[in-house]
Amino acid sequence: MKTLASYLAGRWHRADRDLQTLVNPASEEPLALVSSTGADFAGALDWARKLGGPALRELTFAQRGEILKALSKRLREHRDELLLLSRMNNGTTASDGSFDIDGGGGALAVYGNLGLALGDRRHLVDGVGDQLAKTEAFWSQHVQVPRPGVAVHVNAFNFPAWGFAEKFACAFLAGVPVITKPATATALTAHRLVEIALESGLLPPGSLQMVVGSTGDLLDRLGVHDVFAFTGSAATALHLRSKKNLLAASVRVNVEADSLNAAVLAPDAAAGSPLFELFVKDVAREMTQKAGQKCTAVRRIVVPGAVEGAVTEALAARLAKCAPGDPVDEAVRMGPLATEDQLRDALDGIAELLATADLVFGSGVRADGLGAPAGKGYFVGPTLLRSEVPLEKSPVHHREVFGPVATVLPYDGSARQAAEIVALAEGTLVTSAYSNDADWVAAFLASGGAYTGRLYLGSEGSEGVGSGACFPQSLHGGPGRAGGGEELGGLRGLTPYLQRVAVQGSRPHVDAVTGARP
Ligand code: NAP
């Protein structure tokens, strides 16, 4: 069986101890071995800081953008191969795999275009300048320059391709070299993707390295100028961001963590209306896409008490068509959970939710998957619960069940109460509001907007693709337990990798130095 190697300091490191086995989650067949034991992390950091960083900073934004675009094209050329790996290791259907892989390619392309648009420069001019004295003889202009460190990216198991690409694109365009680490259990897709990027010959040496397996002492070696970006559970995030060396050296840390996202139906959506149908269709998809293993999946369904029965009935009818199975069969619409641990955690989570909620659809226990060997595979069917106590601080608002599981929460139809329920999760990545009534939504935004990183609006005539998709142009991240981080959002995504500098002097001199034009 193949042992995946880390790529550090210009060579492939293949460990022969402490090996972990990657499996196909639909059949439990072993796929590959992984370990990083013996890897030289000090050497990797040195290589990035001394070789990768300077080489990247030599390039203009346009040149870096050119490379990102070419990488995106390379990824597209290997799409089928990557989709197969995603199916084998993540248990994704073709459509779920495309969400990850095409999403990753899209992020590289968007940042490539942003780089091309910035042109021939090596720093960003930040806003307009300010006069500091009676005349322009004393002037201030902010600029942002690449940080002369290294970015370490630790990713979650559910988006091996997109997770790598969205972080890498931002750091690379900013001019900062990357050491990326995919989650071990699903490292196959990310590993191949990085292999493709390195084989392309497009990247300056030292600008991209990869750890598969444990990060060893890598994070303990980060210091001034370095950046640590993490996606995963809130518990791991808390442990890692509390590291003494990160705090002591003010290492930039960006965290994307758990989120109990909410979808809210406003009272203007009568049962059976087009808006109501849109809501039900979107919620069913956001529960079952990638078997609910999306940080942006809908976990809480906030609906006016008057239409609760109709929503539950319509959702149950849709969920009934999503029995889980082995995605080898193209008719299967929902695959398994990614690992045995994830299955155990999801079932434990359902049991916790059931303390203050009732099961209204699904069994809440492991299922056999369509086309999978009996008793094998990490399958759980769509599961819908309902809570009688939506305004209480119950597990429904703090226990993220990372599977096709969500809870219906009835409310009185007021924007204020909907916002109050959303706020109980203490920070989400995305909240969606379905209404044609702009005043209702504005009131909801005013009282609930600060509890989320993104507000997705469903309304008649909208061509939105649902709240789960993260577009590189829009911010991804949320306050509080969602991690408090910010990724993407166009050039905002470069922020962690750039140092803002206020340049002061006479205006003509400042303008000449910074490239700012009146
Ligand atoms: P996790 O267990 O927290 O692991 C995340 C990453 O951290 C993995 O790469 C893991 O590596 C690594 N890790 C764990 N302990 C570490 C340590 N002591 N030192 C260095 N690295 C360590 O989360 P997960 O199970 O992969 O992902 C599911 C969670 O991610 C969910 O809570 C989900 O909401 C969240 N998520 C959030 C977003 C977002 O954008 N906000 C996106 C996707 C997922 P190993 O695999 O080697 O343990």
Side-chain angles (χ1 to χ4, degrees), residues 154-159 181-185 213 215 219 230-234 236 239-240 256-259 295 342 400 402 429 476 482:
V154 172
N155 283 312
F157 75 85
N158 55 340
F159 281 104
K181 173 195 150 34
T184 303
T215 49
L219 299 178
F230 171 84
T231 297
S233 64
T236 311
H239 169 65
L240 296 180
E256 299 293 340
D258 312 357
S259 180
C295 51
Q342 285 300 320
E400 183 196 43
F402 218 55
L429 291 170
H476 176 58

Side-chain angles (χ1 to χ4, degrees), residues 350 353-354 357-361 383-387 405-408:
I350 293 172
L353 297 187
L354 283 171
D358 300 315
L359 199 59
V360 290
F361 181 84
T383 307
L384 192 62
L385 300 102
R386 183 221 183 234
S387 171
V405 181
T407 306
V408 175

Side-chain angles (χ1 to χ4, degrees), residues 119-193:
D120 247 4
R121 54 175 80 188
R122 292 184 176 78
H123 63 255
L124 292 182
V125 173
D126 181 352
V128 291
D130 288 293
Q131 190 169 305
L132 302 179
K134 281 189 181 154
T135 71
E136 291 188 348
F138 195 32
W139 186 258
S140 170
Q141 173 66 55
H142 291 90
V143 296
Q144 298 191 61
V145 298
R147 292 166 71 88
V150 55
V152 172
H153 293 164
V154 172
N155 283 312
F157 75 85
N158 55 340
F159 281 104
W162 178 80
F164 157 72
E166 53 105 20
K167 285 188 174 61
F168 174 73
C170 291
F172 187 89
L173 186 59
V176 176
V178 168
I179 301 177
T180 187
K181 173 195 150 34
T184 303
T186 60
L188 215 52
T189 311
H191 184 269
R192 180 64 190 128
L193 214 165

Side-chain angles (χ1 to χ4, degrees), residues 342-356:
Q342 285 300 320
L343 175 66
R344 194 177 314 114
D345 189 65
L347 298 182
D348 287 353
I350 293 172
E352 247 181 81
L353 297 187
L354 283 171
T356 54

Side-chain angles (χ1 to χ4, degrees), residues 263-286:
V264 179
L265 186 66
D268 61 306
S273 66
L275 184 61
F276 177 95
E277 296 299 337
L278 177 69
F279 176 78
V280 169
K281 182 171 142 228
D282 282 1
V283 169
R285 185 189 52 244
E286 297 305 333

